[in-house]
Amino acid sequence: MGLFGNKEMIGLDIGSSSVKMAYIKRSGIENRLKKFGVYPLPADSIVDGAIMDQAAVIEGIQGVMRNLKIREKNVAISLSGHSVIIKKVQLATTTAEELEESIQWEVEQYIPFDIKDVKIDFHVVGPLRDDPTKMDVLLVAAKTDLINDYMSVVKEAGLIPRVVDIDSLAVGNAFESTNPVSDEQVPMVVNIGASFMNINVLHAGVPLFTRDVPMGGGMYTSEIQKQMAVSYELAEEYKVGKKDPGDRADKLDEVMKVVSNLLATEAQRSYNFFSATYPDRVVTKVYLTGGAAKSAFLKDILAEKIGVGVDIFDAIQGLTVDDKTVDSSIISKFNTSATVSIGLALRNMEARG
């Protein structure tokens, strides 16, 4: 799967509501964002991380390529959803080469699918501090059918998938690369897309805890539709503040607060679980990112629930933006939506230090 691989490539985030593409090049000591674009997908093109409408996704990929005049062919893509498992497990200390040969049997107990139906990759984190005979291993498994579906649409769109990553790892990579923190800090990065929330607790460049939750910003739209009896299009405009609801502003606020509370409660559960699992590690700050990160009331409700400071994370602020080739209006509108695609594009830089 090449989950921890690297090539000269484009970051391609195929999300449930849109396709995002980012191209980053090293310029001296800077990471320069050369191109970034978004192309919307029809509703239900992707459901629970699975591609339902291949033609629509192919058109989305080709559409963003046309808009950006992309010529590069190598891409890094990522997966999320019920068919993806990511866990940190403890195994007997051995070499990466030996683990490569035995990984299928070592991890079978941790995979809730038939081992024959998945692709597995791993990253050795290091030996345990209190027991060097054991080591922490970051384990990732994804159903082969899901990988094949994503690779198929990418190839049909005329691109070459070089790396298959996981959304939460791409988010962690974007955060570590563009917003470096000290080894004493333990940030919790919450990426809220249209249909999934990726929760990632990091320490010293290593994900201590990751979780995908099948909830996202699409809940705002569907609840506004239902509670205010409006079309999907109008609900979207209300959600992002593009249209004034007039004398129904109080009703809109009520709906936004209810959904923000649901999302914050789910993030709080992950926070509580992490705190119980790692009593010696305390989350120092929470960072919200993703397309729904700036949703009304969410930041304040989350901060109140967990009692830790909450900031918005914008990966683009940690890059140098090429004003000649990047549309500033797209950046201002989709800055937090860009996180996964930027994390994928930054895989370029790992081979070069």
Side-chain angles (χ1 to χ4, degrees), residues 197 199 211 213 215 257-272 298 301-302 305-306:
M197 176 163 54
I199 297 164
R211 182 178 174 225
V213 181
M215 301 169 69
K257 282 179 182 174
V258 167
V259 177
S260 289
N261 190 69
L262 287 171
L263 292 172
T265 298
E266 203 56 47
Q268 180 191 25
R269 283 181 184 150
S270 293
Y271 171 85
N272 290 344
L298 179 59
I301 291 174
L302 182 56
K305 280 185 177 292
I306 63 177

Side-chain angles (χ1 to χ4, degrees), residues 13 20 43 93 125 137 146 165 203 222 239 274 329 332:
D13 173 19
K20 276 80 69 179
T93 298
V125 177
V137 175
L146 181 72
D165 207 331
H203 180 247
S222 59
K239 177 177 78 171
F274 169 78
S329 66
S332 61

Side-chain angles (χ1 to χ4, degrees), residues 25-322:
K25 293 206 77 168
R26 176 65 56 83
S27 176
I29 60 170
E30 298 174 332
N31 288 329
R32 182 174 290 269
L33 182 65
K34 298 287 290 181
K35 294 183 180 182
F36 174 74
V38 180
Y39 196 95
L41 291 177
D44 298 328
S45 297
I46 295 178
V47 177
D48 290 337
I51 297 173
M52 298 288 106
D53 187 341
Q54 288 204 353
V57 175
I58 292 167
E59 168 55 29
I61 297 170
Q62 292 177 331
V64 73
M65 288 168 61
R66 281 195 305 270
N67 293 345
L68 296 179
K69 297 180 172 60
I70 290 284
R71 292 199 181 99
E72 292 77 11
K73 297 294 184 184
N74 296 326
V75 295
I77 62 173
S78 60
L79 310 172
S80 66
H82 302 299
S83 297
V84 176
I85 301 295
I86 176 167
K87 285 185 177 181
K88 194 162 77 165
V89 299
Q90 293 180 0
L91 302 175
T93 298
T94 183
T95 65
E97 291 76 17
E98 289 172 338
L99 185 57
E100 183 82 48
E101 294 177 5
S102 63
I103 190 71
Q104 295 278 132
W105 324 116
E106 292 274 12
V107 304
E108 191 166 6
Q109 60 184 306
Y110 302 107
I111 307 295
F113 313 124
D114 190 318
I115 203 77
K116 299 191 297 295
D117 297 334
V118 299
K119 297 285 188 185
I120 295 172
D121 206 348
F122 67 91
H123 176 70
V124 176
V125 177
L128 303 188
R129 265 185 293 180
D130 53 353
D131 185 0
T133 66
K134 293 182 179 178
M135 62 182 182
D136 276 331
V137 175
L138 188 64
L139 170 69
V140 180
K143 284 193 173 181
T144 305
D145 288 348
L146 181 72
I147 298 168
N148 290 342
D149 284 348
Y150 273 78
M151 292 184 72
S152 175
V153 295
V154 170
K155 290 175 181 176
E156 286 287 328
L159 297 173
I160 304 166
R162 293 292 189 187
V163 168
V164 180
D165 207 331
I166 302 299
D167 281 3
S168 57
L169 294 182
V171 169
N173 188 47
F175 184 84
E176 292 283 346
S177 300
T178 65
N179 190 61
V181 297
S182 71
D183 286 353
E184 287 71 45
Q185 292 174 287
V186 182
M188 174 175 167
V189 186
V190 182
N191 175 55
I192 308 179
S195 59
F196 269 91
M197 176 163 54
N198 315 117
I199 297 164
N200 211 346
V201 181
L202 305 165
H203 180 247
V206 175
L208 292 178
F209 171 88
T210 62
R211 182 178 174 225
D212 281 356
V213 181
M215 301 169 69
M219 293 171 60
Y220 291 103
T221 310
S222 59
E223 280 303 302
I224 293 169
Q225 267 187 281
K226 190 188 306 179
Q227 301 296 332
M228 299 181 70
V230 297
S231 67
Y232 173 86
E233 290 74 20
L234 188 54
E236 276 286 310
E237 291 181 333
Y238 282 165
K239 177 177 78 171
V240 299
K242 192 174 178 182
K243 199 169 187 69
D244 187 345
D247 58 6
R248 305 189 73 190
D250 287 347
K251 181 64 176 177
L252 178 61
D253 281 354
E254 179 188 321
V255 175
M256 295 297 289
K257 282 179 182 174
V258 167
V259 177
S260 289
N261 190 69
L262 287 171
L263 292 172
T265 298
E266 203 56 47
Q268 180 191 25
R269 283 181 184 150
S270 293
Y271 171 85
N272 290 344
F273 183 79
F274 169 78
S275 298
T277 308
Y278 292 90
D280 59 331
R281 303 279 171 83
V282 178
V283 170
T284 50
K285 184 171 278 191
V286 176
Y287 295 85
L288 279 175
T289 193
K294 294 179 282 188
S295 298
F297 310 109
L298 179 59
K299 179 181 169 184
D300 290 343
I301 291 174
L302 182 56
E304 184 179 340
K305 280 185 177 292
I306 63 177
V308 172
V310 179
D311 280 346
I312 300 296
F313 168 55
D314 173 3
I316 292 173
Q317 289 185 345
L319 303 172
T320 302
V321 178
D322 192 328

